[in-house]
Amino acid sequence: MKNQVQNENEIREYLMFSEFELSDVDYDVTFDIVDIDFWYETVTVAITDNGKITQDTYQLMQDKDGRLYFEYGRFYEKKVYIDEFYKCEE
C-alpha cells in the first residue's frame, strides 16, 4: 500500500504540465494529462491531433511490470505509458 501511495504521488506530479508525443507515419499526436483517478482507474487527457484538440478519458491498465498505461488508436492498438510523459516548462 505504501508503494502505491508513493507511486500515486509521483504520478500526480505529472498533471497539467506533462506531455507525451506519439509519432505515426502520417501525423503526430500530443497528449497532455488533465487528471488521473486511481479510485476509478482512469486517466483524462487532452489530445492534439492534426490541429484538433479533444479531451477523453481512458481506462488505466497495468502491465506485468506494474507500469500504468492506456490504449489509444482506432482499434486501441497503441499503448501510452504514463511514466513516458515528460514534464513541460511552464
Side-chain angles (χ1 to χ4, degrees):
M1 183 67 166
K2 184 178 179 183
N3 273 346
Q4 182 178 2
V5 171
Q6 183 178 3
N7 288 339
E8 289 177 13
N9 288 335
E10 288 175 9
I11 290 172
R12 287 204 181 274
E13 291 179 8
Y14 288 98
L15 294 178
M16 266 324 272
F17 296 106
S18 296
E19 189 170 272
F20 177 80
E21 292 185 21
L22 178 66
S23 294
D24 203 351
V25 176
D26 298 328
Y27 58 90
D28 293 331
V29 179
T30 303
F31 298 94
D32 294 294
I33 296 176
V34 176
D35 186 42
I36 297 177
D37 189 329
F38 293 103
W39 182 262
Y40 292 107
E41 298 177 345
T42 59
V43 60
T44 302
V45 292
I47 306 161
T48 306
D49 184 3
N50 289 327
K52 181 179 174 186
I53 300 173
T54 58
Q55 180 175 311
D56 208 347
T57 301
Y58 296 95
Q59 186 69 38
L60 273 177
M61 293 174 260
Q62 197 170 28
D63 68 5
K64 64 181 179 178
D65 298 323
R67 294 176 63 199
L68 294 173
Y69 70 92
F70 63 93
E71 295 176 330
Y72 178 78
R74 175 175 266 166
F75 302 106
Y76 299 101
E77 69 278 4
K78 297 177 178 139
K79 292 182 180 180
V80 179
Y81 285 90
I82 300 298
D83 60 2
E84 291 180 359
F85 279 73
Y86 61 90
K87 192 91 167 164
C88 297
E89 298 297 322
E90 294 184 38

